[in-house]
Amino acid sequence: MHIIAHRGASAYAPENTFAAFEKARELGAGFIELDVQLTKDGKLAVIHDDKVDRTTNGTGFVRHFTMKELETLDAGSWFSPSFQGEKIPDLEAVLHKYHNKIGLLIEIKSSKTQPGIEKAIGRLIDRLGPSANTIVQSFDAGAIMTLHNLYPSIPGAVLIRPRFGMLPYGRLRHISSFARYVSLKHTMLSSFLIKSAHSHDMKVFAWTVNGRKTGRRLQSWNIDGIITDYPDYFKKEGKA
Ligand code: G3P
Ligand code: CA
């Protein structure tokens, strides 16, 4: 079972920063989950929200900044003064540092408002050579299908939230034609659903699991990965 650090080890360091990513490594996570948004100059900024307001000392939409401008913002102080000076990472720098060294689960937040984001991410990964452990995920199944059509060797994951309704067999089969993973809110999961996904040759991730008891239950159902703010709560990679 993979331990996937949600926005890095975001319980311990400011989300989506190198500080959170390094903490994830230190705590034994096998993957780092992170979110990306397109900038004004077509770069990929690692930030969850479409605005910088919540997690930096700036204001406004990410898409109105160039990457260089975003890098002048402080993305650490909101979390704790000890993280003052942390920056919004550029996905390219993240890939250079971690690709093939630790798993990466890169989330496309909004493909509708950011046309071309699939191609921009795919191009970056493709340049480094696709890896089974560099995965792109989105709630927007269309974005993962687009990425698959452009770069079939990059593994994709479709995120599912409860308000999308149940996950019927036919939908699972459809998703399996372009994605290798489904990633569901943990409250939606059952042993039956995990077995169904496995029978379609898909792997299953659960988000966001911050309770040890829930983690143990999911593990007993053969979940393939759990996305958590607390990677230290769960057993390290390889120690199932
Ligand atoms: O990976 C699942 C989870 O990250 C999706 O929700 O809002 O934290 O990006 P969010
Ligand atoms: Ca995310």
Side-chain angles (χ1 to χ4, degrees):
M1 180 180 82
H2 295 305
I3 308 300
I4 305 160
H6 181 231
R7 311 181 193 173
S10 56
Y12 303 104
E15 65 180 59
N16 286 319
T17 63
F18 277 109
F21 302 158
E22 284 301 294
K23 189 74 188 168
R25 279 225 285 205
E26 182 194 317
L27 297 178
F31 273 79
I32 293 164
E33 191 265 357
L34 55 91
D35 308 285
V36 291
Q37 307 272 351
L38 262 184
T39 66
K40 190 171 144 188
D41 54 342
K43 302 264 187 188
L44 291 152
V46 179
I47 182 168
H48 181 275
D49 301 357
D50 60 354
K51 293 179 104 175
V52 298
D53 303 44
R54 181 177 61 86
T55 55
T56 77
N57 58 343
T59 53
F61 285 99
V62 175
R63 62 179 178 273
H64 293 161
F65 290 80
T66 64
M67 192 67 229
K68 280 253 167 317
E69 287 165 349
L70 287 172
E71 282 167 351
T72 65
L73 301 177
D74 175 1
S77 292
W78 70 274
F79 186 85
S80 150
S82 59
F83 289 102
Q84 187 184 4
E86 278 299 319
K87 301 202 178 317
I88 297 175
D90 181 335
L91 180 67
E92 191 168 358
V94 172
L95 280 165
H96 277 288
K97 192 171 168 87
Y98 297 124
H99 181 70
N100 279 329
K101 296 198 177 67
I102 185 170
L104 292 171
L105 183 57
I106 301 165
E107 181 175 349
I108 296 176
K109 295 309 297 181
S110 171
S111 64
K112 305 260 183 313
T113 58
Q114 302 175 70
I117 191 166
E118 304 91 340
K119 194 170 185 179
I121 294 176
R123 200 190 299 127
L124 271 185
I125 298 173
D126 193 55
R127 216 183 289 150
L128 294 173
S131 148
N133 286 342
T134 295
I135 303 166
V136 180
Q137 68 171 358
S138 186
F139 284 107
D140 179 355
I144 300 305
M145 202 191 292
T146 301
L147 180 80
H148 177 74
N149 291 335
L150 292 167
Y151 297 98
S153 54
I154 299 177
V158 174
L159 280 156
I160 315 271
R161 52 165 60 108
R163 77 173 142 89
F164 292 172
M166 293 304 289
L167 184 56
Y169 211 65
R171 172 97 181 118
L172 205 51
R173 197 173 49 238
H174 172 63
I175 292 172
S176 72
S177 67
F178 58 87
R180 295 185 210 167
Y181 296 81
V182 272
S183 192
L184 290 98
K185 183 164 184 187
H186 70 84
T187 51
M188 300 176 74
L189 282 162
S190 64
S191 161
F192 176 76
L193 212 158
I194 294 170
K195 275 198 193 105
S196 296
H198 286 165
S199 74
H200 284 88
D201 249 350
M202 301 188 79
K203 294 194 170 171
V204 187
F205 291 158
W207 52 274
T208 300
V209 182
N210 287 334
R212 291 182 169 96
K213 214 166 131 193
T214 305
R216 277 197 297 275
R217 190 175 62 241
L218 292 165
Q219 195 165 11
S220 76
W221 292 344
N222 281 331
I223 194 86
D224 299 289
I226 54 174
I227 298 168
T228 177
D229 300 334
Y230 298 88
D232 51 325
Y233 279 12
F234 305 97
K235 289 188 180 139
K236 291 186 183 176
E237 297 283 292
K239 297 184 185 164

